[in-house]
């Protein structure tokens, strides 16, 4: 199985901050990576697919980059509605796996 | 816009079978793949399995001997059965739509349904 390691697992930041979350894969996965945002009591929401493509309707302050084994999700200017947990998911091979999540909280 | 809705019992007894259905509205099922993902309370996401529009299935090896996913496009539904449940199967279960391109992602999710295994 491909393991995904997200860092940090917890992040405290202020509105307006630039935030970067990293996802490392245990083996190369090309660009077959997605990022999701999840708020408490809600289903995950797709933000980024194919490592760097912004899903329709997602604000442009979100961006993704990387390929192979190292990926990043960046929020250029954190907004109040961005406080949530973020997950990466690899879609390169079965079984599909998720990272452990990064919880972004208000400083 | 396509919507997904999970349904099924919220309580299941240990050793029994968990059965959930995802009903799809607002579009055609035969241009997507479909999957189940779960999330134990306070924990992360776990992929359970996929069913392709061809009917082919792929399961998480950690659950493979206990899980079945099947598709009924005539009813616009796909279903999950998980046998011999234990407390470790208590989770919110989500159904999801997965795009069919290589490395396809889950772009639409149901709201989720909490299933509690209790004795």
């Amino acid at each position: 199985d491909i393991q995904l390691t997200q860092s940090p697992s917890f992040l405290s930041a202020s509105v307006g901050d630039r935030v970067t979350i990293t996802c490392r894969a245990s083996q190369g996965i090309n660009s077959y990576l997605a990022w999701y945002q999840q708020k408490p009591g809600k289903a995950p929401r797709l933000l980024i697919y194919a490592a760097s493509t912004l899903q329709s309707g997602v604000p442009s302050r979100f961006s993704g980059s990387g390929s192979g084994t190292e990926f990043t999700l960046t929020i250029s200017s954190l907004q109040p509605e961005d406080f949530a947990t973020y997950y990466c998911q690899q879609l390169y091979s079965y079984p599909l796996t998720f990272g452990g999540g990064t919880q972004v909280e208000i400083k | 816009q396509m919507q997904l809705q999970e349904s099924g019992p919220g309580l299941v007894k240990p050793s029994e079978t968990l059965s959930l259905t995802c009903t799809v509205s607002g579009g055609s099922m035969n241009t997507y793949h479909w999957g189940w993902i779960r999330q134990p309370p306070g924990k992360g996401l776990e992929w359970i399995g996929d069913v392709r529009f061809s009917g082919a299935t792929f399961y998480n090896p950690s659950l493979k001997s206990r899980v079945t996913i099947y598709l009924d496009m005539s009813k616009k539904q796909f279903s999950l059965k998980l046998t011999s449940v234990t407390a470790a199967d208590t989770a919110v279960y989500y159904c999801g739509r997965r795009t069919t391109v290589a490395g396809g992602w889950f772009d639409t999710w149901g709201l989720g349904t909490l299933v509690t295994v209790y004795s």
Side-chain angles (χ1 to χ4, degrees):
Chain A
D1 299 6
I2 296 174
Q3 310 301 318
L4 296 180
T5 303
Q6 280 185 242
S7 60
S9 55
F10 178 86
L11 187 159
S12 182
S14 300
V15 172
D17 284 353
R18 180 181 181 88
V19 167
T20 299
I21 299 168
T22 298
C23 178
R24 290 188 174 87
S26 58
Q27 64 186 77
I29 59 171
N30 290 341
S31 296
Y32 296 151
L33 188 101
W35 289 96
Y36 302 90
Q37 176 193 65
Q38 187 179 34
K39 296 183 178 179
K42 301 293 187 182
R45 170 198 180 197
L46 177 68
L47 297 176
I48 302 282
Y49 60 89
S52 61
T53 304
L54 195 68
Q55 170 70 347
S56 175
V58 174
S60 60
R61 62 181 179 272
F62 290 93
S63 64
S65 65
S67 67
T69 61
E70 188 144 341
F71 302 85
T72 59
L73 173 70
T74 299
I75 310 171
S76 60
S77 177
L78 198 65
Q79 298 302 301
E81 60 267 30
D82 301 337
F83 292 95
T85 300
Y86 294 84
Y87 293 95
C88 57
Q89 182 193 27
Q90 67 82 16
L91 303 125
Y92 177 77
S93 68
Y94 288 114
L96 308 183
T97 49
F98 290 89
T102 296
Q103 185 177 357
V104 178
E105 291 205 343
I106 302 173
K107 182 182 285 185
Chain B
Q1 183 174 351
M2 189 171 281
Q3 294 185 318
L4 282 63
Q5 177 67 62
E6 303 90 350
S7 60
L11 296 173
V12 183
K13 293 182 178 179
S15 79
E16 296 191 344
T17 297
L18 179 160
S19 296
L20 296 174
T21 295
C22 184
T23 301
V24 179
S25 60
S28 173
M29 292 190 73
N30 61 7
T31 53
Y32 293 96
H33 301 321
W34 307 92
W36 289 94
I37 301 98
R38 70 180 183 178
Q39 185 171 38
K43 297 189 177 180
L45 299 165
E46 178 184 32
W47 173 78
I48 298 171
D50 282 356
V51 57
R52 299 195 171 183
F53 60 77
S54 64
T57 52
F58 300 85
Y59 301 130
N60 193 322
S62 67
L63 301 168
K64 187 171 184 177
S65 62
R66 300 194 291 131
V67 66
T68 305
I69 297 174
Y70 53 96
L71 186 63
D72 188 341
M73 285 198 278
S74 67
K75 293 182 178 180
K76 299 196 74 176
Q77 293 177 338
F78 61 106
S79 299
L80 168 70
K81 287 193 183 297
L82 184 65
T83 63
S84 304
V85 298
T86 70
D89 296 308
T90 293
V92 175
Y93 285 77
Y94 296 101
C95 60
R97 182 183 84 173
R98 189 176 173 203
T99 61
T100 60
V101 299
W105 45 89
F106 286 93
D107 65 354
T108 303
W109 295 62
L111 297 177
T113 187
L114 175 63
V115 179
T116 302
V117 179
Y118 79 107
S119 57

